[in-house]
Structures are given as structure tokens and as C-alpha cells.
Amino acid sequence: MEQPIQELAKGLSIGIIMDGNGRWAKRRGMPRTAGHKKGAEVFQDITRYCNQLGVESVTFYAFSTENWRRPQDEVGAIMKLFGEYLVKAFDYQKENNRVVFLGDRSVLEPKHQKLMNEIEEKTAANTGMTLNIAVNYGGRPEIVRAARQLAQLVKEGKLEPQDITEEMMSDHMYTRGQKDPDFILRPSGEKRLSNFMLWQAAYSELVEMDVLWPDFTRADLDAAILEFCHRSRRFGGV
Ligand code: IPE
Ligand code: IPE
Ligand code: MG
């Protein structure tokens, strides 16, 4: 018999590529932004559920470095929603989450940057689930940033190139100190990473599901966790 979902979920690190908002809206004859609005509600519900399950960390891909290519009004609507959820994010304090934003925030609206910094500071000592929100995030820019930081240390004579280790690289990612994702979930049926957690995903299991993100339910997360638990992870061994 299968263990209760809570036992299986406990301590997991999960990455979620929230995808399919646009298609969800299109199928209903609604503007794409309606899909983002519903998707943001699902984000909040799944976060609460992950808390309840005792998940160790969950990373939501909210906006990629490539998403700026979308029409200006869509980008504007996504950023507006993000701002609204940043204000609401203070609820996560009650839920004891440690909130971390992944990505280059320097180009975001100053008022958003200020809120992001405040939320991170205010929740830093929380002992519950780590909630990573990836905004203006790309895996390659993250690796370039780490390389630049280590190169700077070499330039300052504080580090020898041959002493650079994988652990050091990990410590210069936005996710420093965190466990790599056990599995990365992508709803909407797409089978690609789209620049998500490239460094951290080295041995993550990929779980793709046909459901569109705005339709994603707690039962879908259960199903994803079960699928992950049935995978045989070998890490290069036998
Ligand atoms: C994901 O849904 C949300 C973001 C990328 C911000 P999409 O907007 O990519 O939805 P589809 O893939 O067009 O259906
Ligand atoms: C990935 O989804 C980015 C986010 C979910 C934030 P996209 O919809 O942007 O990815 P592609 O364009 O299909 O690869
Ligand atoms: Mg998409």
C-alpha cells in the first residue's frame, strides 16, 4: 500500500514551471491576462498545500528573462499581478515561510524591489518551508552571475581558479544553501526547461503533466509527487 502523501512529500524540494495560462484563457475566449490572474490564485493555493504537506522548498517560475518578449500589455499585467501578490505575500509570514526571490530584480519597478527586499528580510528567520519565487529569472544568467562573482574574487587575489568547486558555484546561485530540486514539474504538456534552474536541475526528475496551470489542483500535485516517488534515481550508479 502507498504511504500517505504527507509522508512522501515531507522534506521534498520541488520546482514548478507554471505554464499554460495563455492557452487556458484562449480556450475560454478570454484575454491571456485572465489566465495569469487565475494562475496566480492557483500559485497561492498550491503554496499553502505545500506548507501543509511539509515540503522543504518549492520554487515557482513566475517570469523568465525571455518573457519580456511578450506584448507590453501582457508584461504590464503580469507585473501588476506580481505587485498585488507581493503585498499579499506578508500572509506568508503567518505561514512561517522563508521567502526568497530568484532572478535579477534590478530592472523591476523600484516599489516592487523595495517590497521584495522587505519580504525577504522579514521572513529570513522563519523556520517553515522555503518559498522561492523566480522573477526575471533565467538559469544561464544565474550561472553567468556566479562566474562573475567568482572571477571577481580571483581578481582580488582571494581565490585561486583551481580551487573553484561545484559547492562554491552552488553557493553563488540565488538558491545558495538550499537543496537542489528533487523534481521539476511542468504542467501544460511542454517538455522543456525554458531556462529554469539549469545548474540545480542536474539530477532532478522531470514530471510533465497535461493539465494547464490555471486548472492545476492539489490532487494534481499529489499525482506528481506519487509519480516522482515511483522513479528510480541512480545518480550515475547502478
Ligand atoms: C505561463 O503561462 C505564465 C508565464 C510565462 C508568465 P503562459 O503565458 O506561458 O501560457 P501559454 O504557454 O501561452 O499557454
Ligand atoms: C516558462 O514558460 C516561463 C515561466 C513559466 C515563467 P514559457 O511559456 O515562457 O516558456 P516557453 O516560451 O514555452 O519555452
Ligand atoms: Mg507558456
Side-chain angles (χ1 to χ4, degrees):
M1 214 186 79
E2 204 74 61
Q3 283 169 280
I5 199 74
Q6 220 127 0
E7 271 174 41
L8 297 174
K10 205 170 168 55
L12 285 182
S13 174
I14 305 175
I16 302 181
I17 302 175
M18 302 187 280
D19 198 17
N21 294 352
R23 278 163 282 174
W24 181 90
K26 198 173 168 213
R27 280 181 201 172
R28 283 165 177 73
M30 285 147 76
R32 293 178 56 85
T33 49
H36 297 313
K37 190 163 180 286
K38 180 71 180 17
E41 289 168 15
V42 173
F43 151 77
Q44 206 168 37
D45 185 58
I46 295 299
T47 299
R48 293 219 170 93
Y49 187 48
C50 287
N51 281 335
Q52 288 170 21
L53 289 178
V55 167
E56 179 176 308
S57 68
V58 57
T59 304
F60 289 96
Y61 202 6
F63 193 86
S64 75
T65 44
E66 288 71 38
N67 286 147
W68 298 105
R69 293 179 190 150
R70 296 186 178 204
Q72 227 181 331
D73 59 339
E74 182 174 345
V75 170
I78 293 171
M79 287 303 161
K80 188 164 172 275
L81 260 176
F82 176 60
E84 288 166 17
Y85 277 78
L86 280 177
V87 177
K88 281 194 200 168
F90 283 102
D91 289 354
Y92 298 122
Q93 176 73 335
K94 269 192 237 131
E95 306 208 21
N96 198 22
N97 288 151
R98 192 168 75 92
V99 182
V100 179
F101 294 99
L102 318 183
D104 176 12
R105 68 188 73 175
S106 69
V107 296
L108 303 181
E109 280 183 45
K111 65 169 194 263
H112 289 171
Q113 291 184 46
K114 189 167 170 276
L115 274 169
M116 291 161 88
N117 295 337
E118 280 171 13
I119 291 167
E120 281 183 341
E121 277 168 34
K122 219 177 146 183
T123 64
N126 285 352
T127 52
M129 182 179 84
T130 299
L131 171 62
N132 295 312
I133 304 172
V135 180
N136 191 25
Y137 171 87
R140 283 188 171 185
E142 181 182 38
I143 294 168
V144 169
R145 174 177 168 269
R148 283 186 183 149
Q149 289 176 353
L150 292 176
Q152 184 62 34
L153 293 175
V154 170
K155 190 178 164 194
E156 291 168 8
K158 293 175 182 158
L159 180 67
E160 293 296 328
Q162 64 271 22
D163 292 336
I164 295 174
T165 61
E166 291 187 13
E167 287 70 29
M168 238 178 247
M169 283 290 287
S170 291
D171 281 345
H172 286 268
M173 298 295 153
Y174 292 111
T175 48
R176 69 186 153 276
Q178 298 187 34
K179 186 170 118 176
D180 288 338
D182 291 300
F183 72 91
I184 292 175
L185 167 65
R186 183 158 193 166
S188 92
E190 306 293 0
K191 297 175 180 65
R192 54 179 172 266
L193 284 174
S194 302
N195 216 359
F196 186 57
M197 300 191 100
L198 297 185
W199 174 265
Q200 298 87 340
Y203 266 102
S204 305
E205 294 292 327
L206 305 178
V207 178
E208 50 70 37
M209 296 178 88
D210 272 334
V211 58
L212 300 173
W213 178 252
D215 285 328
F216 193 88
T217 62
R218 293 179 175 209
D220 290 319
L221 187 70
D222 290 352
I225 292 169
L226 277 177
E227 173 163 349
F228 163 73
C229 290
H230 286 122
R231 299 278 178 93
S232 158
R233 301 179 89 188
R234 289 186 287 278
F235 300 103
V238 287

mmCIF file with all atom_site columns, all heavy atoms in Angstrom, residues 18-23 32 67 70 186 188 190 192, ligand 3:
data_model
loop_
_atom_site.group_PDB
_atom_site.id
_atom_site.type_symbol
_atom_site.label_atom_id
_atom_site.label_alt_id
_atom_site.label_comp_id
_atom_site.label_asym_id
_atom_site.label_entity_id
_atom_site.label_seq_id
_atom_site.pdbx_PDB_ins_code
_atom_site.Cartn_x
_atom_site.Cartn_y
_atom_site.Cartn_z
_atom_site.occupancy
_atom_site.B_iso_or_equiv
_atom_site.pdbx_formal_charge
_atom_site.auth_seq_id
_atom_site.auth_comp_id
_atom_site.auth_asym_id
_atom_site.auth_atom_id
_atom_site.pdbx_PDB_model_num
ATOM   1   N  N   . MET A 1 18  ? 5.175  27.198 -13.913 1.00 0.00 ? 18  MET A N   1
ATOM   2   C  CA  . MET A 1 18  ? 3.734  27.480 -14.039 1.00 0.00 ? 18  MET A CA  1
ATOM   3   C  C   . MET A 1 18  ? 3.434  27.846 -15.493 1.00 0.00 ? 18  MET A C   1
ATOM   4   O  O   . MET A 1 18  ? 3.685  28.960 -15.911 1.00 0.00 ? 18  MET A O   1
ATOM   5   C  CB  . MET A 1 18  ? 3.351  28.648 -13.120 1.00 0.00 ? 18  MET A CB  1
ATOM   6   C  CG  . MET A 1 18  ? 3.662  28.405 -11.656 1.00 0.00 ? 18  MET A CG  1
ATOM   7   S  SD  . MET A 1 18  ? 3.019  29.711 -10.594 1.00 0.00 ? 18  MET A SD  1
ATOM   8   C  CE  . MET A 1 18  ? 4.242  30.998 -10.788 1.00 0.00 ? 18  MET A CE  1
ATOM   9   N  N   . ASP A 1 19  ? 2.913  26.895 -16.267 1.00 0.00 ? 19  ASP A N   1
ATOM   10  C  CA  . ASP A 1 19  ? 2.728  27.154 -17.697 1.00 0.00 ? 19  ASP A CA  1
ATOM   11  C  C   . ASP A 1 19  ? 1.315  26.806 -18.153 1.00 0.00 ? 19  ASP A C   1
ATOM   12  O  O   . ASP A 1 19  ? 0.677  25.920 -17.593 1.00 0.00 ? 19  ASP A O   1
ATOM   13  C  CB  . ASP A 1 19  ? 3.767  26.346 -18.497 1.00 0.00 ? 19  ASP A CB  1
ATOM   14  C  CG  . ASP A 1 19  ? 3.946  26.873 -19.904 1.00 0.00 ? 19  ASP A CG  1
ATOM   15  O  OD1 . ASP A 1 19  ? 3.531  28.020 -20.180 1.00 0.00 ? 19  ASP A OD1 1
ATOM   16  O  OD2 . ASP A 1 19  ? 4.500  26.136 -20.747 1.00 0.00 ? 19  ASP A OD2 1
ATOM   17  N  N   . GLY A 1 20  ? 0.872  27.507 -19.167 1.00 0.00 ? 20  GLY A N   1
ATOM   18  C  CA  . GLY A 1 20  ? -0.431 27.202 -19.773 1.00 0.00 ? 20  GLY A CA  1
ATOM   19  C  C   . GLY A 1 20  ? -1.510 28.233 -19.476 1.00 0.00 ? 20  GLY A C   1
ATOM   20  O  O   . GLY A 1 20  ? -2.670 28.046 -19.844 1.00 0.00 ? 20  GLY A O   1
ATOM   21  N  N   . ASN A 1 21  ? -1.130 29.327 -18.852 1.00 0.00 ? 21  ASN A N   1
ATOM   22  C  CA  . ASN A 1 21  ? -2.115 30.371 -18.514 1.00 0.00 ? 21  ASN A CA  1
ATOM   23  C  C   . ASN A 1 21  ? -2.782 30.934 -19.767 1.00 0.00 ? 21  ASN A C   1
ATOM   24  O  O   . ASN A 1 21  ? -3.996 31.140 -19.805 1.00 0.00 ? 21  ASN A O   1
ATOM   25  C  CB  . ASN A 1 21  ? -1.434 31.540 -17.787 1.00 0.00 ? 21  ASN A CB  1
ATOM   26  C  CG  . ASN A 1 21  ? -0.890 31.145 -16.424 1.00 0.00 ? 21  ASN A CG  1
ATOM   27  O  OD1 . ASN A 1 21  ? -1.154 30.043 -15.952 1.00 0.00 ? 21  ASN A OD1 1
ATOM   28  N  ND2 . ASN A 1 21  ? -0.147 32.045 -15.799 1.00 0.00 ? 21  ASN A ND2 1
ATOM   29  N  N   . GLY A 1 22  ? -1.956 31.201 -20.780 1.00 0.00 ? 22  GLY A N   1
ATOM   30  C  CA  . GLY A 1 22  ? -2.469 31.813 -22.010 1.00 0.00 ? 22  GLY A CA  1
ATOM   31  C  C   . GLY A 1 22  ? -3.446 30.894 -22.719 1.00 0.00 ? 22  GLY A C   1
ATOM   32  O  O   . GLY A 1 22  ? -4.540 31.311 -23.131 1.00 0.00 ? 22  GLY A O   1
ATOM   33  N  N   . ARG A 1 23  ? -3.069 29.605 -22.850 1.00 0.00 ? 23  ARG A N   1
ATOM   34  C  CA  . ARG A 1 23  ? -3.947 28.636 -23.530 1.00 0.00 ? 23  ARG A CA  1
ATOM   35  C  C   . ARG A 1 23  ? -5.247 28.439 -22.765 1.00 0.00 ? 23  ARG A C   1
ATOM   36  O  O   . ARG A 1 23  ? -6.318 28.298 -23.352 1.00 0.00 ? 23  ARG A O   1
ATOM   37  C  CB  . ARG A 1 23  ? -3.203 27.292 -23.686 1.00 0.00 ? 23  ARG A CB  1
ATOM   38  C  CG  . ARG A 1 23  ? -2.271 27.261 -24.880 1.00 0.00 ? 23  ARG A CG  1
ATOM   39  C  CD  . ARG A 1 23  ? -1.279 26.128 -24.782 1.00 0.00 ? 23  ARG A CD  1
ATOM   40  N  NE  . ARG A 1 23  ? -0.205 26.460 -23.853 1.00 0.00 ? 23  ARG A NE  1
ATOM   41  C  CZ  . ARG A 1 23  ? 0.736  25.607 -23.480 1.00 0.00 ? 23  ARG A CZ  1
ATOM   42  N  NH1 . ARG A 1 23  ? 0.707  24.367 -23.926 1.00 0.00 ? 23  ARG A NH1 1
ATOM   43  N  NH2 . ARG A 1 23  ? 1.692  25.998 -22.657 1.00 0.00 ? 23  ARG A NH2 1
ATOM   44  N  N   . ARG A 1 32  ? -5.475 36.721 -22.435 1.00 0.00 ? 32  ARG A N   1
ATOM   45  C  CA  . ARG A 1 32  ? -4.420 35.937 -21.773 1.00 0.00 ? 32  ARG A CA  1
ATOM   46  C  C   . ARG A 1 32  ? -4.242 36.347 -20.309 1.00 0.00 ? 32  ARG A C   1
ATOM   47  O  O   . ARG A 1 32  ? -3.938 35.518 -19.455 1.00 0.00 ? 32  ARG A O   1
ATOM   48  C  CB  . ARG A 1 32  ? -3.081 36.116 -22.516 1.00 0.00 ? 32  ARG A CB  1
ATOM   49  C  CG  . ARG A 1 32  ? -3.063 35.530 -23.914 1.00 0.00 ? 32  ARG A CG  1
ATOM   50  C  CD  . ARG A 1 32  ? -1.714 35.802 -24.591 1.00 0.00 ? 32  ARG A CD  1
ATOM   51  N  NE  . ARG A 1 32  ? -0.611 35.303 -23.811 1.00 0.00 ? 32  ARG A NE  1
ATOM   52  C  CZ  . ARG A 1 32  ? -0.158 34.047 -23.862 1.00 0.00 ? 32  ARG A CZ  1
ATOM   53  N  NH1 . ARG A 1 32  ? -0.707 33.180 -24.690 1.00 0.00 ? 32  ARG A NH1 1
ATOM   54  N  NH2 . ARG A 1 32  ? 0.842  33.670 -23.105 1.00 0.00 ? 32  ARG A NH2 1
ATOM   55  N  N   . ASN A 1 67  ? 10.575 36.307 -21.037 1.00 0.00 ? 67  ASN A N   1
ATOM   56  C  CA  . ASN A 1 67  ? 9.167  36.718 -21.083 1.00 0.00 ? 67  ASN A CA  1
ATOM   57  C  C   . ASN A 1 67  ? 8.977  38.205 -21.404 1.00 0.00 ? 67  ASN A C   1
ATOM   58  O  O   . ASN A 1 67  ? 7.863  38.632 -21.725 1.00 0.00 ? 67  ASN A O   1
ATOM   59  C  CB  . ASN A 1 67  ? 8.431  36.358 -19.785 1.00 0.00 ? 67  ASN A CB  1
ATOM   60  C  CG  . ASN A 1 67  ? 8.137  34.875 -19.645 1.00 0.00 ? 67  ASN A CG  1
ATOM   61  O  OD1 . ASN A 1 67  ? 8.127  34.313 -18.550 1.00 0.00 ? 67  ASN A OD1 1
ATOM   62  N  ND2 . ASN A 1 67  ? 7.879  34.185 -20.759 1.00 0.00 ? 67  ASN A ND2 1
ATOM   63  N  N   . ARG A 1 70  ? 7.171  39.336 -24.687 1.00 0.00 ? 70  ARG A N   1
ATOM   64  C  CA  . ARG A 1 70  ? 5.706  39.330 -24.870 1.00 0.00 ? 70  ARG A CA  1
ATOM   65  C  C   . ARG A 1 70  ? 5.181  40.755 -25.068 1.00 0.00 ? 70  ARG A C   1
ATOM   66  O  O   . ARG A 1 70  ? 5.868  41.715 -24.722 1.00 0.00 ? 70  ARG A O   1
ATOM   67  C  CB  . ARG A 1 70  ? 5.051  38.689 -23.651 1.00 0.00 ? 70  ARG A CB  1
ATOM   68  C  CG  . ARG A 1 70  ? 5.466  37.231 -23.530 1.00 0.00 ? 70  ARG A CG  1
ATOM   69  C  CD  . ARG A 1 70  ? 4.736  36.538 -22.426 1.00 0.00 ? 70  ARG A CD  1
ATOM   70  N  NE  . ARG A 1 70  ? 5.137  35.138 -22.401 1.00 0.00 ? 70  ARG A NE  1
ATOM   71  C  CZ  . ARG A 1 70  ? 4.416  34.156 -21.900 1.00 0.00 ? 70  ARG A CZ  1
ATOM   72  N  NH1 . ARG A 1 70  ? 3.248  34.418 -21.360 1.00 0.00 ? 70  ARG A NH1 1
ATOM   73  N  NH2 . ARG A 1 70  ? 4.850  32.917 -21.932 1.00 0.00 ? 70  ARG A NH2 1
ATOM   74  N  N   . ARG A 1 186 ? 6.277  20.378 -14.773 1.00 0.00 ? 186 ARG A N   1
ATOM   75  C  CA  . ARG A 1 186 ? 5.825  21.329 -15.788 1.00 0.00 ? 186 ARG A CA  1
ATOM   76  C  C   . ARG A 1 186 ? 4.443  20.940 -16.281 1.00 0.00 ? 186 ARG A C   1
ATOM   77  O  O   . ARG A 1 186 ? 4.286  19.947 -17.002 1.00 0.00 ? 186 ARG A O   1
ATOM   78  C  CB  . ARG A 1 186 ? 6.800  21.400 -16.969 1.00 0.00 ? 186 ARG A CB  1
ATOM   79  C  CG  . ARG A 1 186 ? 6.348  22.457 -17.990 1.00 0.00 ? 186 ARG A CG  1
ATOM   80  C  CD  . ARG A 1 186 ? 7.447  22.971 -18.867 1.00 0.00 ? 186 ARG A CD  1
ATOM   81  N  NE  . ARG A 1 186 ? 6.993  24.162 -19.570 1.00 0.00 ? 186 ARG A NE  1
ATOM   82  C  CZ  . ARG A 1 186 ? 7.767  25.011 -20.214 1.00 0.00 ? 186 ARG A CZ  1
ATOM   83  N  NH1 . ARG A 1 186 ? 9.059  24.802 -20.252 1.00 0.00 ? 186 ARG A NH1 1
ATOM   84  N  NH2 . ARG A 1 186 ? 7.267  26.069 -20.816 1.00 0.00 ? 186 ARG A NH2 1
ATOM   85  N  N   . SER A 1 188 ? 0.937  21.778 -18.539 1.00 0.00 ? 188 SER A N   1
ATOM   86  C  CA  . SER A 1 188 ? 0.634  22.276 -19.886 1.00 0.00 ? 188 SER A CA  1
ATOM   87  C  C   . SER A 1 188 ? 1.205  21.393 -20.991 1.00 0.00 ? 188 SER A C   1
ATOM   88  O  O   . SER A 1 188 ? 1.046  21.699 -22.163 1.00 0.00 ? 188 SER A O   1
ATOM   89  C  CB  . SER A 1 188 ? 1.083  23.732 -20.094 1.00 0.00 ? 188 SER A CB  1
ATOM   90  O  OG  . SER A 1 188 ? 2.394  23.823 -20.627 1.00 0.00 ? 188 SER A OG  1
ATOM   91  N  N   . GLU A 1 190 ? 4.210  20.798 -22.038 1.00 0.00 ? 190 GLU A N   1
ATOM   92  C  CA  . GLU A 1 190 ? 5.508  21.115 -22.665 1.00 0.00 ? 190 GLU A CA  1
ATOM   93  C  C   . GLU A 1 190 ? 6.604  20.294 -21.989 1.00 0.00 ? 190 GLU A C   1
ATOM   94  O  O   . GLU A 1 190 ? 6.549  20.034 -20.791 1.00 0.00 ? 190 GLU A O   1
ATOM   95  C  CB  . GLU A 1 190 ? 5.837  22.601 -22.504 1.00 0.00 ? 190 GLU A CB  1
ATOM   96  C  CG  . GLU A 1 190 ? 4.767  23.561 -22.989 1.00 0.00 ? 190 GLU A CG  1
ATOM   97  C  CD  . GLU A 1 190 ? 4.546  23.552 -24.491 1.00 0.00 ? 190 GLU A CD  1
ATOM   98  O  OE1 . GLU A 1 190 ? 5.228  22.790 -25.213 1.00 0.00 ? 190 GLU A OE1 1
ATOM   99  O  OE2 . GLU A 1 190 ? 3.661  24.299 -24.945 1.00 0.00 ? 190 GLU A OE2 1
ATOM   100 N  N   . ARG A 1 192 ? 10.136 20.936 -21.756 1.00 0.00 ? 192 ARG A N   1
ATOM   101 C  CA  . ARG A 1 192 ? 11.427 21.633 -21.791 1.00 0.00 ? 192 ARG A CA  1
ATOM   102 C  C   . ARG A 1 192 ? 11.580 22.435 -20.510 1.00 0.00 ? 192 ARG A C   1
ATOM   103 O  O   . ARG A 1 192 ? 10.607 22.715 -19.811 1.00 0.00 ? 192 ARG A O   1
ATOM   104 C  CB  . ARG A 1 192 ? 11.540 22.545 -23.018 1.00 0.00 ? 192 ARG A CB  1
ATOM   105 C  CG  . ARG A 1 192 ? 10.397 23.528 -23.169 1.00 0.00 ? 192 ARG A CG  1
ATOM   106 C  CD  . ARG A 1 192 ? 10.574 24.434 -24.391 1.00 0.00 ? 192 ARG A CD  1
ATOM   107 N  NE  . ARG A 1 192 ? 9.364  25.220 -24.604 1.00 0.00 ? 192 ARG A NE  1
ATOM   108 C  CZ  . ARG A 1 192 ? 8.375  24.881 -25.420 1.00 0.00 ? 192 ARG A CZ  1
ATOM   109 N  NH1 . ARG A 1 192 ? 8.475  23.778 -26.135 1.00 0.00 ? 192 ARG A NH1 1
ATOM   110 N  NH2 . ARG A 1 192 ? 7.298  25.631 -25.532 1.00 0.00 ? 192 ARG A NH2 1
HETATM 111 MG MG  . MG  B 2 .   ? 3.942  29.165 -21.888 1.00 0.00 ? 3   MG  B MG  1
#
